[in-house]
Amino acid sequence: MAELSPATVLAELKKNGATHVVWLPDSETNFLYVLMSEEPSLDLVPVSREGHAFSTAAGLAAGGKKPVILIQNTGMMESGDSLRGWGLGMNVPVVMMVGYRGWTRHGIINDTAAFYTERFLHAFNINYYLVESDEDADRISIAFAEAEREKRPVAVLVGDEYHGFNVSR
Amino acid sequence: MMKTAEMLDIFNKHRGDAVVIPGRGGRFWVELSDQPDRDLPLGDPAMGGHASFALGLALALPDQRVVLFDSEGDVLMGMGALPTIAEKAPANLYHFMLDNGVYATTGGQPVPNAEQMEYDVVAQGCGYPATYAIDNLEDFASQIEEILGQPGPVFVALKIDPEIINEPINARPQWQRKTRNQAVADMQAELGVERPA
């Protein structure tokens, strides 16, 4: 299986008209950060707590912009009330790309971050798409379309940590 | 100490055409504002998020002045938003913070270290280029023009009287005149905001 290229992810963000990336660093997406910071069409908004990503995205969306949220699954779980009140409560059509820390593909999960990730999304009734490789990248566009259509957050789980998404190449 | 409604009444005379997020001053602001389609009285979608919301709005609408009336409880819960605001430095954002020292909507319990906090110093340390601390109406009235006359982000800590609410949430008067989403939609229509394709 081909790996997930950060350039592929960036191309998906640009194709779908993302204007701002509200993000907090995570172990799966470091190399993507380097690419994003060099992309003039994207404005990066760094937050220090993932819950702020949802309120920031709500403000950007209210002002007519198209943010995407880039966080890790640990931070997503910490953000529950903000996701509830700002993301879902204000019908923010936003794609949240969530680094799937601990994802192994083979069902044996030793990291509770991974164990609870999909359970958390089910609890909040957030639909999600798993993206593990370049072949899966079109699911990002599907998530963007669904977020716009349903006017609510949709998650993309970046499940590539097992072969090193953040390795420079 | 100031009454929130009296402070907002003075601010209203200097509002111009700013977009106003009244935060926990919302129940007073809806009685004062004569530009409700430029108001976002959101109530409390989730505590600690107003500053980030205002930042997002200010970044999205750089040609509009965005005024937020935050609270010290919200700032304490979401203090990490302050460095982000300072880094992004939206010149159109005016961040007022109502400090009554207590969680007024839960019965008036003191916020942590209420007597010692210096929020303007915190904001300054986070990188806000201009900060103020004001504890009386006379000073507010004399400084509001200067505050709004400079580029943001500006942070203004305001000492206000606790106006404590202690009724069960479902028994409280409903001051919001429209839903959050309707308020956003009305603002977007007023400003001609369209989302990118």
Side-chain angles (χ1 to χ4, degrees):
Chain A
M1 178 184 287
E3 296 183 1
L4 177 58
S5 159
T8 301
V9 175
L10 181 62
E12 284 289 319
L13 301 186
K14 290 177 65 178
K15 183 172 78 177
N16 286 284
T19 60
H20 294 74
V21 180
V22 188
W23 78 291
L24 199 149
D26 75 276
S27 57
E28 290 79 43
T29 53
N30 179 57
F31 189 61
L32 178 59
Y33 165 69
V34 176
L35 284 184
M36 290 190 310
S37 63
E38 295 169 349
E39 171 52 50
S41 69
L42 289 175
D43 189 354
L44 303 190
V45 183
V47 295
S48 55
R49 180 181 181 188
E50 288 86 349
H52 294 152
F54 294 97
S55 39
T56 304
L60 286 162
K65 299 302 181 184
K66 195 169 185 177
V68 60
I69 290 172
L70 184 65
I71 56 177
Q72 187 168 272
N73 52 356
T74 48
M76 176 187 71
M77 289 184 271
E78 202 268 347
S79 304
D81 193 45
S82 189
L83 168 59
R84 174 200 62 78
W86 292 102
L88 292 165
M90 294 193 64
N91 299 117
V92 179
V94 66
V95 170
M96 42 193 274
M97 298 197 61
V98 180
Y100 203 162
R101 198 191 87 179
W103 171 243
T104 61
R105 300 186 67 222
H106 49 61
I108 301 170
I109 291 175
N110 296 316
D111 185 338
T112 56
F115 181 81
Y116 289 112
T117 292
E118 294 181 54
R119 290 166 173 82
F120 177 94
L121 290 166
H122 288 303
F124 281 81
N125 196 26
I126 300 285
N127 201 20
Y128 58 91
Y129 297 89
L130 177 64
V131 173
E132 297 180 288
S133 70
D134 280 351
E135 285 72 39
D136 302 333
D138 59 351
R139 296 173 192 169
I140 298 172
S141 289
I142 292 171
F144 269 100
E146 183 172 320
E148 285 294 325
R149 186 176 65 249
E150 302 296 331
K151 298 192 176 354
R152 69 198 321 270
V154 175
V156 170
L157 296 177
V158 182
D160 196 43
E161 187 181 40
Y162 63 92
H163 56 38
F165 184 59
N166 62 343
V167 176
S168 296
R169 60 191 82 122
Chain B
M1 291 282 192
M2 295 173 270
K3 292 281 190 191
T4 301
E6 294 174 352
M7 179 276 296
L8 289 173
D9 190 40
I10 292 171
F11 162 76
N12 197 28
K13 296 177 174 63
H14 299 268
R15 171 196 189 154
D17 60 358
V19 174
V20 176
I21 306 162
R24 292 179 196 277
R27 60 189 163 122
F28 304 106
W29 182 249
V30 295
E31 302 293 333
L32 294 167
S33 175
D34 53 6
Q35 300 179 74
D37 289 346
R38 285 179 175 264
D39 295 336
L40 291 172
L42 304 177
D44 182 22
M47 191 168 178
H50 275 107
S52 304
F53 177 84
L55 169 65
L57 191 67
L59 292 175
L61 301 171
D63 296 330
Q64 299 291 331
R65 184 179 302 229
V66 174
V67 175
L68 166 66
F69 288 93
D70 212 344
S71 81
E72 93 281 41
D74 283 281
V75 166
L76 284 167
M77 187 173 283
M79 199 171 275
L82 301 184
T84 298
I85 291 171
E87 177 176 322
K88 298 304 291 184
N92 57 332
L93 178 59
Y94 298 82
H95 188 176
F96 295 84
M97 190 205 71
L98 311 177
D99 173 16
N100 59 14
V102 301
Y103 294 110
T105 58
T106 60
Q109 306 88 347
V111 302
N113 209 21
E115 299 299 319
Q116 302 297 321
M117 286 297 298
E118 296 182 62
Y119 296 97
D120 59 317
V121 177
V122 172
Q124 186 180 41
C126 288
Y128 276 67
T131 63
Y132 295 78
I134 299 174
D135 64 4
N136 65 81
L137 278 178
E138 292 71 26
D139 286 351
F140 183 74
S142 68
Q143 295 186 66
I144 185 64
E145 195 169 334
E146 173 189 313
I147 290 166
L148 295 173
Q150 63 190 297
V154 179
F155 184 91
V156 186
L158 302 169
K159 282 284 187 188
I160 60 164
D161 284 334
E163 295 175 72
I164 293 168
I165 301 172
N166 206 18
E167 292 82 24
I169 285 178
N170 289 336
R172 295 176 188 178
Q174 294 298 305
W175 57 263
Q176 286 170 290
R177 297 176 180 175
K178 45 188 165 184
T179 66
R180 292 168 184 147
N181 288 330
Q182 188 61 53
V184 170
D186 288 350
M187 180 211 68
Q188 290 174 331
E190 170 74 11
L191 302 182
V193 171
E194 294 180 7
R195 277 179 60 77

